[in-house]
Amino acid sequence: MLTIGAIRPLIIAIALVSSAAAARDDLKPFGPDDVFELEYAGDPRISPDGQRIVYERRSNDIMTDSTRSNLWIIETSGDDHRPLVSGTVQATSPRWSPDGERIAYFQTTDTGTDILVRWMDNGQTARLARVFESPDALSWSPDGRWLAFTLPVKAEAEPLAEPRAPPEGAEWSEPVKVFDAVRYKSDGDGFVETAHVHIFLLPADGGTPRQITSGDFNHEGPLSWSADGDQVLFAANRNPDWEYEPIERDIYAVSIIDGELTRLTERSGGESEPAVSPDGLRLAYVFDDDRKVPYRNRVLRVRDLGGDDGWPLTAELDRSVTNVQWAGNGRSLYFQFDDQGRRKVGRVTLDGDVEVVTGELGGNSVGRPYLSGSYTVSADGTVAFTRGTPYRLADVAVAGRRGARVLTALNEDLLGNRDLGRVQEIRYASSLDGTEIQGWYITPPGYVEGLRYPTILEIHGGPHLAYGPQFAAELQRYAAAGYVVFYDNHRGSTGYGEEFALKLEYKYASKDDFADHMAGIDALIERGIADPDALYITGGSAGGIATAYAIGLTDRFKAAAVQKPVINWVSKVLTADSYIYQIPYQFPAMPWEDPEHYWQRSPLSLVGNVVTPTMLITGEEDQRTPISETEQFYQALKLRRVDTVMVRVPGASHGIAGKPSRLNAKVDNILAWFARYRESSNDRRDD
């Protein structure tokens, strides 16, 4: 088995000068007003010749409580950093034409989304089309004549009963809504009309978008083109029972001339992310074998475009891959993957030899330190990527033959003048079975060695996701309030291999991940950092489940903040938008077939043990962990006379911190709740 340690190293270190290490008396801690001043780079797109990078520059608007995306451009030398599209518009998805002379992008307003092209020699811009749904997967044809993109198309539906017409001048109630689709609601969108994603074609010099796929199926990007530009490749499940098969997909090609479909792959499982080689002879794609388990590595495969099943390139990497891109010479492929709390760009030859290009992707998760970031590669092998650190959100960086360079400093004016909490790694053995767990802790500004501090345990969601040493506004705010903040990648987290991820199979939440968390807390206590008499716990989504479960197992925490949890698995899986995937992959049977299993995994089964003061916070429009779950726990705790408050976030879906003001409101309420149970003598020396 190939391990990450055996991969030929090509990681290029970039020196970090952070305000966390600066010894200045004039610095102040990171505060709530600073959240509105944060900026970060996204979707960096390097030009075909490797000379320029266009990217989304995202910033918060305090007047509209929203995040704005403008387009900026910078040379890979670091020179000539300037805006392309700025102001109050939302400009996204910049894409270079194959000759590097134009950029296509989306611009969204209150009335729809425009597809625009900008000529780079003189800045002239043309609006090619306007659409009224959400376009995606924008892609140029090889000859630069066409643009392809995906767009939802609402399905026509016959009413179950013809609605009656009210008399003239009458005011009747809204008509009933009838659903018969398997997927009838979506977190963030609520209850939705049935729609199917189709591929559209648009002349690059303007015209009318033309739909080139048909049928009641979803046709998904990213899109790739045949070398002659006559076909667009995509992923789709066009089986009759596709709604019940959330992973199954095949790669198809559609003719731009007559819409004829050609099925290119037929493996059982999910084939996605098609990428045709520069010479047009090979097809690379990502494969998910669709085993009915909670986690499976996604493997990069390649085949002759007109040949057989091909061969895997990353099967022995033991990591899940995505964002596949061919090298300019067609002899290797680039991809990204998560490993040991880092997001990395890898390169693999057609023989399966893997090397790491950079391990510093990140900086796109503002609130919490989730792994994030993306990259693109030019024909000459220069990689543009978003670089995140423990003390900065994403900047634009490049890696190539001449080394690696950070090109922007989007937050230096703000964060360079803040006294940030210091992020440090810790590894320890789980008390359950000795499994090594990787974690991090943030010490508050002004931290004094030898003093014990009140400590917050923050548990990530997923559970098949991962945290890392990344800047996180929420956690820095906790640290600024005087807490040590501890977070870990417990069993079930990604980036440590498939076996590690599957250690939580049928067990989330459970005593197993609880043991991982508590062993980390105990390690900080043993090091003289955490105060054992001033422990607090919080987490969201899967982390909210783990938090609610933990306080049913222990009374060691002074207070808990349970964010958007599952409390009763039977009710959750039959009310949330994720039921069609979650039940067959994360449970051994249907809830009516094995109710005891669902009950044992439910925090509600342990509510009789809970004595910890508990705050609950959930969005009122949450379709992923419906607020009815929160209400069950709230009412159960009230019946038990446990000190409890419920914080409801109006208009918010599962992402309760998706707006800057909501991020602050979330942290403000959690800190206020913990402050009720924080003694002034918590920061103390050992006797």
Side-chain angles (χ1 to χ4, degrees):
M1 176 65 70
L2 180 69
T3 65
I4 294 298
I7 295 176
R8 180 158 56 91
L10 195 69
I11 300 177
I12 303 172
I14 303 175
L16 171 66
V17 179
S18 76
S19 62
R24 287 172 49 190
D25 295 332
D26 62 331
L27 300 181
K28 62 180 182 180
F30 183 81
D33 291 342
D34 295 331
V35 170
F36 287 97
E37 303 300 323
L38 293 171
E39 295 186 83
Y40 60 100
D43 198 10
R45 293 283 162 168
I46 193 165
S47 60
D49 62 6
Q51 299 300 305
R52 295 172 291 177
I53 301 165
V54 61
Y55 70 96
E56 297 176 5
R57 184 166 176 169
R58 301 168 185 165
S59 58
N60 293 330
D61 186 336
I62 196 170
M63 300 307 295
T64 61
D65 193 21
S66 62
T67 301
R68 180 190 305 130
S69 177
N70 288 172
L71 299 184
W72 282 61
I73 192 167
I74 189 169
E75 295 180 1
T76 51
S77 64
D79 297 328
D80 203 18
H81 188 206
R82 53 193 169 94
L84 289 182
V85 183
S86 61
T88 59
V89 300
Q90 292 285 353
T92 60
S93 301
R95 299 293 183 267
W96 291 95
S97 62
D99 59 11
E101 296 181 358
R102 292 166 291 171
I103 289 176
Y105 60 96
F106 298 139
Q107 184 168 293
T108 301
T109 66
D110 292 338
T111 58
T113 298
D114 294 329
I115 303 173
L116 300 103
V117 167
R118 178 188 177 102
W119 278 258
M120 301 305 294
D121 58 352
N122 57 22
Q124 291 177 325
T125 302
R127 187 180 79 178
L128 304 186
R130 169 167 287 189
V131 295
F132 300 98
E133 298 296 333
S134 298
D136 197 9
L138 189 62
S139 178
W140 287 87
S141 64
D143 59 9
R145 294 177 56 201
W146 301 96
L147 287 163
F149 60 94
T150 61
L151 191 71
V153 177
K154 291 182 179 179
E156 296 183 5
E158 293 290 333
L160 182 62
E162 287 292 339
R164 296 183 180 275
E168 184 177 353
E171 295 183 5
W172 285 9
S173 299
E174 290 186 25
V176 299
K177 297 178 181 179
V178 179
F179 298 96
D180 63 1
V182 175
R183 304 173 190 180
Y184 64 98
K185 60 182 177 178
S186 175
D187 187 64
D189 297 316
F191 295 94
V192 295
E193 296 181 58
T194 300
H196 303 103
V197 177
H198 286 285
I199 299 172
F200 285 76
L201 198 66
L202 177 65
D205 55 2
T208 302
R210 174 168 59 91
Q211 182 177 326
I212 60 173
T213 55
S214 60
D216 293 339
F217 309 103
N218 291 322
H219 308 82
E220 302 171 359
L223 307 177
S224 187
W225 289 77
S226 60
D228 59 12
D230 287 345
Q231 293 179 312
V232 178
L233 280 69
F234 60 93
N237 183 346
R238 292 178 60 89
N239 297 333
D241 284 340
W242 67 270
E243 284 192 287
Y244 292 93
E245 300 172 341
I247 300 300
E248 178 66 34
R249 283 166 182 77
D250 292 294
I251 305 298
Y252 288 84
V254 59
S255 168
I256 70 170
I257 299 171
D258 58 13
E260 180 182 357
L261 283 183
T262 303
R263 184 173 177 175
L264 301 178
T265 64
E266 297 186 17
R267 295 176 64 87
S268 176
E271 293 102 350
S272 62
E273 300 188 40
V276 177
S277 62
D279 61 9
L281 299 179
R282 291 190 174 96
L283 170 66
Y285 61 91
V286 172
F287 177 63
D288 180 335
D289 64 19
D290 198 22
R291 284 169 290 144
K292 296 302 185 285
V293 294
Y295 178 84
R296 302 158 305 281
N297 281 335
R298 300 170 76 240
V299 177
L300 172 57
R301 295 183 64 89
V302 68
R303 52 169 284 183
D304 294 335
L305 195 54
D308 57 14
D309 226 14
W311 62 97
L313 296 183
T314 62
E316 296 188 20
L317 179 63
D318 197 21
R319 299 292 186 270
S320 199
V321 307
T322 188
N323 193 4
V324 175
Q325 300 176 39
W326 282 92
N329 59 16
R331 298 174 184 171
S332 60
L333 295 109
Y334 292 78
F335 60 93
Q336 66 187 51
F337 66 104
D338 296 342
D339 174 49
Q340 301 280 323
R342 302 275 185 176
R343 178 155 293 178
K344 300 178 178 180
V345 176
R347 183 168 59 227
V348 60
T349 68
L350 296 179
D351 294 326
D353 296 328
V354 176
E355 61 187 8
V356 176
V357 177
T358 180
E360 297 188 312
L361 270 66
N364 293 140
S365 177
V366 176
R368 291 182 286 166
Y370 282 110
L371 301 191
S372 61
S374 61
Y375 80 97
T376 54
V377 60
S378 67
D380 68 357
T382 303
V383 172
F385 62 98
T386 53
R387 176 181 182 260
T389 77
Y391 310 107
R392 297 292 184 272
L393 287 172
D395 279 302
V396 178
V398 292
R401 296 185 183 91
R402 298 180 181 179
R405 300 182 307 282
V406 182
L407 305 182
T408 64
L410 301 184
N411 287 289
E412 198 60 34
D413 57 337
L414 172 68
L415 298 180
N417 293 287
R418 292 294 179 270
D419 190 4
L420 298 176
R422 186 182 177 193
V423 181
Q424 300 180 73
E425 182 181 343
I426 182 173
R427 291 182 184 255
Y428 56 92
S430 172
S431 59
L432 179 71
D433 54 11
T435 296
E436 182 182 76
I437 305 297
Q438 182 183 28
W440 296 265
Y441 62 96
I442 305 175
T443 53
Y447 174 76
V448 179
E449 293 281 352
L451 290 183
R452 291 186 179 273
Y453 285 78
T455 298
I456 297 174
L457 166 61
E458 220 288 342
I459 306 173
H460 73 65
H464 304 300
L465 293 171
Y467 277 163
Q470 298 288 314
F471 177 85
E474 294 178 28
L475 275 55
Q476 285 291 342
R477 283 207 55 202
Y478 295 148
Y483 294 89
V484 167
V485 185
F486 168 65
Y487 58 95
D488 62 57
N489 283 340
H490 53 82
R491 67 189 64 222
S493 301
T494 53
Y496 303 86
E498 193 172 280
E499 181 181 351
F500 186 87
L502 287 175
K503 284 181 179 290
L504 271 190
E505 184 177 8
Y506 301 152
K507 295 180 182 178
Y508 110 82
S510 70
K511 295 179 180 179
D512 293 20
D513 50 316
F514 172 76
D516 295 349
H517 303 312
M518 299 311 294
I521 289 290
D522 289 338
L524 291 180
I525 292 172
E526 290 172 9
R527 294 188 182 194
I529 297 169
D531 185 345
D533 297 322
L535 302 177
Y536 305 83
I537 184 172
T538 188
S541 196
I545 306 168
T547 299
Y549 206 88
I551 59 176
L553 296 173
T554 184
D555 62 359
R556 291 180 64 184
F557 295 101
K558 287 280 189 179
V562 178
Q563 307 170 39
K564 49 191 181 183
V566 174
I567 297 302
N568 181 343
W569 275 110
V570 173
S571 58
K572 189 274 182 187
V573 296
L574 295 178
T575 56
D577 68 343
S578 53
Y579 75 114
I580 204 67
Y581 172 85
Q582 193 159 43
I583 294 174
Y585 290 91
Q586 295 183 348
F587 290 89
M590 293 293 177
W592 53 87
E593 295 171 343
D594 192 356
E596 184 60 26
H597 176 90
Y598 285 76
W599 178 247
Q600 289 177 357
R601 287 173 59 178
S602 300
L604 193 59
S605 69
L606 301 175
V607 72
N609 301 331
V610 177
V611 296
T612 305
T614 301
M615 185 189 94
L616 295 136
I617 179 168
T618 302
E620 291 189 330
E621 305 301 323
D622 194 329
Q623 299 290 349
R624 188 63 42 83
T625 54
I627 199 166
S628 57
E629 294 295 307
T630 291
E631 291 170 337
Q632 288 182 65
F633 208 47
Y634 176 76
Q635 294 185 187
L637 291 174
K638 284 296 185 183
L639 288 171
R640 296 206 60 252
R641 300 180 183 270
V642 175
D643 196 5
T644 308
V645 297
M646 176 170 57
V647 179
R648 303 169 70 99
V649 187
S653 57
H654 197 58
I656 56 174
K659 291 180 176 292
S661 70
R662 288 176 178 168
L663 186 155
N664 279 331
K666 170 185 170 183
V667 175
D668 289 343
N669 281 277
I670 290 173
L671 286 175
W673 182 248
F674 289 170
R676 285 193 183 183
Y677 304 94
R678 178 175 170 178
E679 299 174 4
S680 60
S681 60
N682 278 344
D683 304 351
R684 60 180 177 81
R685 292 187 182 275
D686 286 334
D687 295 334

